[in-house]
């Protein structure tokens, strides 16, 4: 099994390299005063060093308990994330009032809630309460979408 | 001043905020899977339009209630609602198995409130003194403090030092995004105006602590933590039990406060330390673990003791000790109440209001705990399949509401995914937040110090306070390595 920590550490090495090369182009400091590039470069070097240590290190230790995930769970996480992304897209088109109950209904259904009263009441009541709290009580505007 | 403070505290807004915060905290703390940090992060977007003292009291109430709430599920179903209640299961659950759940809940409530009140007293006495000492700090000292705060990362990433440090460095890197506040040069903004002021803090917090937790909960949707409410009676406490646990609660409260003051050690550590201490002091240590009152009182008084303790470095020095106080620091900045010694001068009334409010929060917690445990248990019984979607909506809407900017929602979501993947890989999340907050403070003051000294690094070693803090920071940073080295030497000697 490929270990998350190793993939992530590799990404961190790339990030470190990117940061160092970008920061090299920052203006230099004058008369001993450190320029804006000093810290990014320092952090980049440290990040690369630690990530290499981590990668070497992972080779030795066993897969940690919380890294074991079966494919079914990964699928469930991915689909949940996709439903959230869909919600974030729809909230800009249809607005908060329509997309929120849609989101709640569909994700609860996906999570296995089948009781009609729970599905409908939770979706509507949550939306109504949040709408009231944010718009009326806190007077914060919520996304309205393009049609309203 | 006193009149003003009292007027502030006893306004209906503040009292309502405390009540709401403590209630929300107990409910969130009691639910396994929802942490008090997550609760504070989620409530923050709801409070940013409030008066500072109202909003802060809501969040501090959440903090206080959340640490206590964890004990309810620890006692009833042997699953700590928050990590700080882990030690409470040791004696809490055995007592429940004997059919004395009400007694166990009563003891934990009284002990929590006692611990909280003691830490409140110490907060009131220690904080102003520390603040007036810190008033003389200039750039090198502030750098040293921030560096000290960052060095704590190594002590909170007990499982893997490198992973913790990588998390911390990632946080430091993210903190670089935006306009450099010394030269005004834009760093890593990719030409985006949105990134000029840096990533907004609150969406990152909501993503890291709430959204990522939601995704983790998706994994274990089917785990049912429901508690039978019918057989549950009220929490009650007898005079005999009260007198029995009082010395324990006072000792544990004081210990908890001091552990809370030390950045990096939170309620989970202090609870075990106090449990262990009481066991050693006890005349019958063999009874610990069988469901005795002292075994519940010690961890509960101790973990609530850390609440007031953790507020001391937060308010006086601006150094958060754990993820809870890191989020509270974010809230203080949201209200333009920059924590640190100046806070005690410029916002003296607000600070004193928070002090008095802290006691009221503990009192509210006591009352709610003794009278209403049953209702909180009902909230715990809400199935995750329903609760998690609602929290997800709150994450999205909350991060939008802060600046009514949709880019913040995207930041929140990305932080959520990153946080989830990181915690799957065993990388701790709280170093990211500590680094995110303390990074700019460290960098800015480091460079400012060098401007003061015309480029000479000796400024960090010739000023006694700065040098001391840097020294402590270095020890704390390398402590895990020192500890293993010492252990190996000892083992080598033993084998000879």
């Amino acid at each position: 099994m490929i270990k998350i920590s190793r993939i992530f550490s590799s990404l961190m090495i790339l990030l470190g390299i990117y940061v160092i090369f970008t920061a090299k182009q920052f203006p230099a400091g004058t008369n001993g005063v450190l320029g804006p590039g000093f810290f990014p470069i320092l952090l980049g070097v440290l990040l690369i060093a630690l990530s290499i240590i981590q990668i070497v290190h992972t080779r030795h230790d066993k897969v940690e308990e919380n890294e074991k995930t079966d494919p079914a769970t990964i699928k469930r996480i991915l689909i949940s994330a996709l439903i959230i992304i869909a919600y974030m897209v729809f909230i800009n088109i249809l607005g908060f009032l329509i997309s929120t109950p849609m989101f709640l209904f569909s994700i609860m259904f996906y999570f296995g809630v089948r009781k009609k009263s729970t599905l409908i009441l939770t979706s509507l009541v949550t939306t109504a309460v949040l709408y009231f709290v944010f718009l009326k009580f806190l007077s914060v505007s919520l996304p309205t979408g393009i049609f309203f | 001043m006193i009149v003003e403070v009292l007027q502030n505290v006893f306004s209906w807004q503040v009292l309502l905020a405390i009540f709401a915060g403590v209630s929300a905290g107990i409910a969130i703390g009691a639910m396994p899977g929802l942490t008090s940090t997550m609760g504070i992060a989620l409530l923050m977007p709801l409070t940013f339009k409030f008066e500072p003292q109202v909003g802060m009291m809501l969040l501090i109430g959440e903090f206080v209630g959340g640490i206590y709430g964890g004990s309810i599920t620890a006692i009833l179903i042997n699953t700590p609602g928050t990590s700080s209640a882990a030690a409470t299961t040791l004696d809490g659950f055995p007592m429940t198995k004997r059919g004395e759940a009400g007694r166990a809940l009563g003891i934990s409530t009284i002990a929590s409130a006692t611990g909280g009140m003691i830490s409140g007293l110490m907060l009131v006495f220690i904080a102003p003194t520390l603040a007036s000492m810190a008033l003389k700090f200039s750039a090198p000292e502030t750098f040293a403090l921030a560096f000290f705060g960052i060095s704590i990362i190594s002590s909170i990433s007990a499982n893997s030092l490198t992973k913790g440090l990588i998390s911390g460095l990632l946080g430091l890197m993210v903190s670089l995004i935006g306009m450099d506040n010394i030269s005004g040069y834009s760093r890593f903004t990719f030409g985006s105006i949105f990134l000029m002021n840096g990533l907004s803090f609150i969406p990152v917090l909501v993503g890291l602590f709430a959204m990522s937790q939601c995704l983790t909960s998706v994994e274990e949707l089917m785990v049912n933590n429901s508690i039978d409410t019918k057989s549950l009676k009220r929490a009650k406490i007898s005079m005999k039990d009260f007198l029995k646990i009082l010395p324990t609660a006072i000792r544990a409260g004081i210990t908890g406060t001091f552990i809370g003051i030390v950045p990096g050690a939170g309620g989970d550590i202090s609870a075990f330390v106090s449990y262990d201490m009481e066991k050693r002091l006890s005349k019958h240590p063999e009874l610990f673990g069988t469901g005795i009152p002292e075994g519940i009182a010690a961890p509960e008084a101790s973990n609530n003791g850390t609440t007031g303790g953790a507020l001391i470095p937060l308010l006086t020095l601006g150094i958060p000790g754990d993820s809870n106080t890191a989020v509270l620091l974010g809230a203080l900045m949201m209200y333009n109440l920059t924590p640190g010694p100046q806070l005690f001068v410029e916002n003296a009334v607000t600070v004193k209001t928070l002090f008095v409010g802290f006691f009221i929060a503990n009192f509210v917690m006591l009352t709610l705990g003794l009278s209403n445990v049953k209702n909180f248990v009902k909230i715990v019984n809400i199935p995750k399949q329903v609760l998690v979607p609602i929290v997800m909506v709150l994450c999205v809407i909350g991060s939008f509401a802060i600046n009514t900017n949709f880019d913040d929602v995207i930041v929140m979501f990305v932080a959520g995914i990153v946080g989830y993947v990181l915690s799957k890989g065993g990388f701790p999340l709280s170093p990211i937040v500590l680094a995110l907050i303390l990074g700019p403070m460290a960098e800015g003051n480091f460079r400012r110090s060098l401007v003061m000294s015309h480029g000479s690094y000796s400024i960090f070693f010739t000023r006694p306070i700065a040098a001391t803090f840097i020294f402590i920071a270095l020890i704390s940073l390398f402590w895990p390595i020192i500890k293993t080295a010492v252990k190996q030497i000892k083992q080598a000697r033993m084998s000879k």
Side-chain angles (χ1 to χ4, degrees), chain B residues 421-467:
Chain B
V421 175
L422 281 181
S423 50
K424 286 296 283 181
F427 291 88
L429 296 181
S430 33
I432 304 183
V433 183
L434 281 182
L436 206 54
I437 292 174
L438 296 173
M441 186 172 151
E443 187 196 359
N445 284 297
F446 186 78
R447 288 162 65 191
R448 226 165 274 140
S449 310
L450 288 180
V451 174
M452 275 167 68
S453 70
H454 306 286
S456 160
Y457 287 87
S458 65
I459 189 166
F460 298 110
F461 305 103
T462 48
R463 297 169 74 105
I465 298 176

Side-chain angles (χ1 to χ4, degrees), chain B residues 78-362:
Chain B
N78 205 15
T79 310
T82 51
S83 58
S84 55
T88 314
T89 56
L90 296 174
D91 276 273
F93 190 61
M95 198 181 263
T96 300
K97 277 199 290 194
R98 279 207 310 263
E100 294 180 302
R103 185 176 169 217
L105 289 170
I107 291 167
S108 99
T109 310
I110 296 275
S112 295
T114 312
M117 299 273 190
I118 289 172
S119 77
L121 278 176
M122 292 172 70
L123 171 67
V124 171
F125 286 110
I126 298 175
T129 325
L130 203 58
S132 60
M133 273 162 60
L135 259 181
K136 298 181 199 102
F137 286 7
S138 151
E141 284 82 15
T142 316
F143 160 73
L145 260 183
F147 181 51
F148 169 59
I150 293 171
S151 75
I152 286 151
I153 287 170
S154 75
S155 63
I156 52 178
S157 31
N159 296 326
S160 167
L161 181 61
T162 33
K163 283 181 178 173
L165 292 177
I166 290 175
S167 290
L169 280 171
L170 180 66
L172 287 174
M173 294 239 170
V174 173
S175 81
L176 292 175
I177 297 174
M179 209 154 72
D180 168 26
N181 52 19
I182 291 189
S183 65
Y185 187 82
S186 294
R187 298 188 288 191
F188 308 104
T189 53
F190 309 99
S192 146
I193 298 169
F194 171 69
L195 292 175
M196 281 287 273
N197 291 319
L199 284 182
S200 2
F201 190 60
I202 295 168
V204 175
L205 286 182
V206 173
L208 278 182
F209 289 111
M211 189 45 107
S212 74
Q213 188 66 48
C214 282
L215 294 174
T216 311
S217 303
V218 171
E219 283 179 19
E220 46 202 42
L221 276 180
M222 303 311 156
V223 179
N224 200 350
N225 279 318
S226 67
I227 304 167
D228 180 21
T229 44
K230 286 204 186 77
S231 62
L232 182 70
K233 294 193 193 72
R234 298 181 39 168
K236 54 177 184 287
I237 180 101
S238 67
M239 203 57 193
K240 205 179 137 216
D241 275 344
F242 177 67
L243 291 175
K244 199 172 186 183
I245 62 158
L246 197 60
T248 302
I250 291 173
R251 269 195 302 269
I254 295 172
T255 316
T257 310
F258 279 110
I259 293 178
I261 296 175
V262 181
D268 38 357
I269 297 174
S270 81
F272 277 107
V273 168
S274 286
Y275 186 85
D276 205 51
M277 195 171 92
E278 285 308 311
K279 196 170 167 180
R280 268 187 231 167
L281 287 174
S282 169
K283 288 186 198 102
H284 38 77
E286 71 284 355
L287 290 179
F288 275 80
T290 60
I292 59 168
E294 294 95 319
I296 299 171
E300 276 310 304
S302 191
N303 66 24
N304 271 85
T306 57
T307 55
L311 288 176
I312 295 174
L314 174 73
L315 293 172
T316 55
L317 307 172
I319 303 279
D322 61 358
S323 45
N324 279 310
T325 36
V327 182
L328 284 177
L329 179 63
L332 283 168
M333 300 204 292
M334 178 173 85
Y335 294 116
N336 279 327
L337 295 169
T338 314
Q342 285 297 334
L343 187 71
F344 286 73
V345 182
E346 285 159 15
N347 301 85
V349 175
T350 313
V351 171
K352 299 241 156 69
T353 307
L354 298 186
F355 284 175
V356 182
F358 185 83
F359 285 98
I360 299 176
N362 274 286

